[in-house]
Amino acid sequence: VREACEKPHRLCLPSAASRILGSVTTLSSNVPAVRPLLPDLFYRLGVLLLTNKLTEDDISTSMFAYAKSSFVTDVGVFDHLAERLAANLESCSTRQISKGLWSCARMTLLEGIYGQDAPYLSHVEQYFNAIVSRSSELSPQDLTRTIWSAGRLLIDSEAAVNELAHQALERMDEFNSQEVANILWGLSRLHYDDKDTTLALATRMTHPDMRPQAQEAASVLYAITYMRVRDAELFSALVDILMSQINTASAQAIANTLWAFRTARYETPQRLLDQWALSMKLNVADASLQEN
């Protein structure tokens, strides 16, 4: 990675630059020592991507790398990549388009952008429509990305959202807990109103083969409450998940859960508050012992 940063002239092929950025971004997720090198790597190799000779896979891989690595210093390169993807949609796979759509949504999150404030956002509806027209080809991961991205970007297309939600319902046994949570979050942002589908997807979180994290359970509670779904048994089951992982529950997760119960007009789960308070005391005591 350091050699790539120091001698980018050796990497004269745009495809090579794309592959390196994609691979190193993936590597950085598991190797923290690589992360500080990413900004310089993107800065040096990004200029090689300003060409019309990239393949569709090069384009989507590069867009995904920019968004995944949180590199927003030079968004002009990302704008160019988004434009090239839009120009090649007919020859792109649904995987490539969904990665492009997710990357745009992720970039708005990193930049704090809402509305049509960036050039790359002018292409997102093209991406979305292309994906919906081939929704039967989507993998579970790509379907999740598409719904989450549509929610983040507030893409207003009720018929298309209904179709994607139906696909999610039909294939919900294929999703993991994070994907279910992300799907429900995206649907809540789009004011999805099919309560039966929402309840079925949320209930999937409580299946024995799922291993949801505390944050995911809290996110689902927040999303289904926002969509006006009420089910006391499901609420209680999701609280049980939170309590089983109380040491990893953030203050935001607890706050979202309390908001959900209050909004749904269910009794506040005191057992959750007591368990979380005890967990916080133990964590403070443990930190104090380590300091001493």
Side-chain angles (χ1 to χ4, degrees), residues 73-89:
T73 303
D74 188 3
V75 185
V77 175
F78 189 85
D79 290 334
H80 169 75
L81 293 169
E83 182 179 4
R84 297 312 307 155
L85 186 69
N88 291 278
L89 285 181

Side-chain angles (χ1 to χ4, degrees), residues 212-218 221 238-255 257-258 269-284:
Q213 300 296 310
Q215 184 60 37
E216 294 163 357
L221 271 170
L238 291 171
V239 166
D240 287 342
I241 292 172
L242 271 166
M243 291 188 64
S244 69
Q245 302 180 54
I246 198 66
N247 289 332
T248 64
S250 66
Q252 186 63 57
I254 300 300
T257 300
L258 296 179
Q270 189 61 43
R271 58 195 176 99
L272 174 63
L273 291 177
D274 293 343
Q275 187 74 12
W276 189 61
L278 177 60
S279 172
M280 291 300 98
K281 289 180 181 179
L282 291 175
N283 287 340
V284 169

Side-chain angles (χ1 to χ4, degrees), residues 27 42 78 80 83 95 104 108 118-119 122 130 140 169-170 196 198 220 241 255 277 282 290 292:
L27 179 65
F42 274 85
F78 189 85
H80 169 75
E83 182 179 4
R95 165 61 58 88
C104 289
T108 67
S122 63
L169 177 64
E170 290 291 309
D196 290 338
T198 300
V220 168
I241 292 172
L282 291 175
Q290 290 182 12
N292 295 332

Side-chain angles (χ1 to χ4, degrees), residues 118-139:
Y120 60 81
L121 289 177
S122 63
H123 306 295
V124 295
E125 289 196 10
Q126 286 178 265
Y127 300 163
F128 182 73
N129 292 333
I131 292 170
V132 172
S133 70
R134 290 185 273 166
S135 61
S136 62
E137 301 174 14
L138 291 170
S139 69

Side-chain angles (χ1 to χ4, degrees), residues 175-192:
F175 297 116
N176 60 37
S177 58
Q178 183 179 28
E179 289 167 340
V180 172
N182 285 344
I183 286 171
L184 289 169
W185 182 89
L187 292 176
S188 71
R189 291 265 297 172
L190 297 167
H191 304 289
Y192 183 68

Side-chain angles (χ1 to χ4, degrees), residues 47-249:
V47 66
L48 299 176
L49 304 176
L50 294 173
T51 175
N52 294 336
K53 296 181 180 180
L54 294 170
T55 67
E56 291 79 2
D57 194 55
D58 292 337
I59 296 168
S60 65
T61 295
S62 298
M63 290 179 70
F64 194 79
Y66 268 78
K68 189 74 173 177
S69 67
S70 305
F71 186 75
V72 296
T73 303
D74 188 3
V75 185
V77 175
F78 189 85
D79 290 334
H80 169 75
L81 293 169
E83 182 179 4
R84 297 312 307 155
L85 186 69
N88 291 278
L89 285 181
E90 290 187 4
S91 54
C92 289
S93 67
T94 52
R95 165 61 58 88
Q96 291 162 349
I97 305 172
S98 71
K99 286 173 68 175
L101 180 66
W102 180 88
S103 299
C104 289
R106 168 77 174 163
M107 290 294 277
T108 67
L109 185 63
L110 297 171
E111 293 192 287
I113 287 176
Y114 291 89
Q116 298 297 320
D117 295 326
Y120 60 81
L121 289 177
S122 63
H123 306 295
V124 295
E125 289 196 10
Q126 286 178 265
Y127 300 163
F128 182 73
N129 292 333
I131 292 170
V132 172
S133 70
R134 290 185 273 166
S135 61
S136 62
E137 301 174 14
L138 291 170
S139 69
Q141 185 180 41
D142 295 331
L143 181 56
T144 302
R145 284 177 182 154
T146 300
I147 295 175
W148 181 89
S149 300
R152 171 64 196 174
L153 297 167
L154 297 178
I155 295 177
D156 186 14
S157 180
E158 183 177 352
V161 171
N162 287 342
E163 170 60 25
L164 293 173
H166 177 72
Q167 290 266 357
L169 177 64
E170 290 291 309
R171 304 173 62 183
M172 66 179 181
D173 290 346
E174 301 176 43
F175 297 116
N176 60 37
S177 58
Q178 183 179 28
E179 289 167 340
V180 172
N182 285 344
I183 286 171
L184 289 169
W185 182 89
L187 292 176
S188 71
R189 291 265 297 172
L190 297 167
H191 304 289
Y192 183 68
D193 61 3
D194 186 328
K195 293 181 174 58
D196 290 338
T197 295
T198 300
L199 180 60
L201 286 169
T203 302
R204 171 69 181 145
M205 294 288 284
T206 66
H207 194 278
D209 67 358
M210 300 289 266
R211 296 291 185 271
Q213 300 296 310
Q215 184 60 37
E216 294 163 357
S219 176
V220 168
L221 271 170
Y222 188 92
I224 64 176
T225 302
Y226 191 82
M227 290 187 280
R228 302 181 184 278
V229 170
R230 306 289 184 264
D231 187 289
E233 185 177 347
L234 175 60
F235 271 56
S236 179
L238 291 171
V239 166
D240 287 342
I241 292 172
L242 271 166
M243 291 188 64
S244 69
Q245 302 180 54
I246 198 66
N247 289 332
T248 64

